[in-house]
Amino acid sequence: MSRLSTTPLKGTALHSQATVTLTENGVAGNRRFHLIDARGGLFNGKQHGPLVRLTAEFEASSGQLTIRFPGRGPVTGTAVELGEAVTTDFYGRGVAGHVVEGAWSAALSDHVGQPVRLVAVDRPGDAVDVHPVTLVSTATIEHLRAMAPDGERMDHRRFRMLIEVDGCGVHEEDTWAERRLRVGGALLRVVGPVPRCVVTNQDPDTGVVDASTLKAIVRYRGALARDLRTPVAHLPDNGAVVFGMYATVEEPGEVALGDSVEPVVADVLAGS
């Protein structure tokens, strides 16, 4: 395993992690918070790419939340004062949470240029798009980089995956669908492909569109909405372009950089 990437606030800059603990609902601190607009709709990088210019830090044990903004001081405090209860539509899946009281929402509204509110999810791990774990191989990203006209811009952060796997072939992760995967101290079940959205076209440092990532994927893979276990209407951009895989957690455990990632032998034999 070559990379582990999380962020406590959906749409903001990713953090590289040395270790994470996978629970049945994913990494508890990953996407612990998200934004909603004035009408209560999900607000993320699709609506405002420059959210990636923000860095969010959350210490679960103390409840300390810090958001760092370019050109101004950070907003920090203990995110324990919860206000209005809200349910946010995550592509057809309702996610329960509470608006976080304090200065964060005002600062975030100033940054994006419209009213938004910061929401803490009631159950940690719920604010991922569909399934709690996403993974892709380093070889797959490198292959896309080689195939794309603007391949030098195909930074792994465009895909915002939790786990990046090395030591396997191009799109080998696709063959793990319906199989179990031993990842460090955790056991995963690979569900199916991850649909990609327009965020992949954005520079991961600035949020400005600077590449045709989706077109590059379609150019060599086609539009692959098949084999998705979640209804296509409930997926980002209707699931038309896929890259990487979703997984669920069957046995929680700690995973770390350098851990092996191995399909369970019995599942491999059953699928052969």
Side-chain angles (χ1 to χ4, degrees), residues 24 27 41 45 47 66 87-88 96 175 179 182 203-204 245 254 260:
E24 291 183 354
V27 178
Q47 287 75 36
T66 300
T87 299
T88 306
T175 69
R179 295 176 177 172
R182 177 63 66 181
D203 184 299
M245 300 294 281
E254 185 173 279
S260 62

Side-chain angles (χ1 to χ4, degrees), residues 135-210:
L135 58 92
V136 69
S137 73
T138 300
T140 297
I141 295 174
E142 291 298 328
H143 183 67
L144 175 61
R145 185 175 287 124
M147 297 291 291
D150 44 9
E152 73 281 357
R153 298 176 179 170
M154 294 299 137
D155 189 302
H156 69 95
R157 292 173 297 163
R158 289 180 185 271
F159 303 101
R160 302 181 69 82
M161 308 296 273
L162 176 61
I163 297 173
E164 186 177 323
V165 182
D166 55 7
C168 60
V170 175
H171 290 296
E172 185 175 337
E173 63 270 27
D174 294 2
T175 69
W176 298 336
E178 308 293 337
R179 295 176 177 172
R180 291 173 296 163
L181 200 66
R182 177 63 66 181
V183 181
L187 182 67
L188 309 182
R189 180 170 293 277
V190 180
V191 175
V194 178
R196 309 314 319 199
C197 71
V198 294
V199 169
T200 61
N201 293 335
Q202 299 168 357
D203 184 299
D205 290 314
T206 67
V208 174
V209 173
D210 70 338

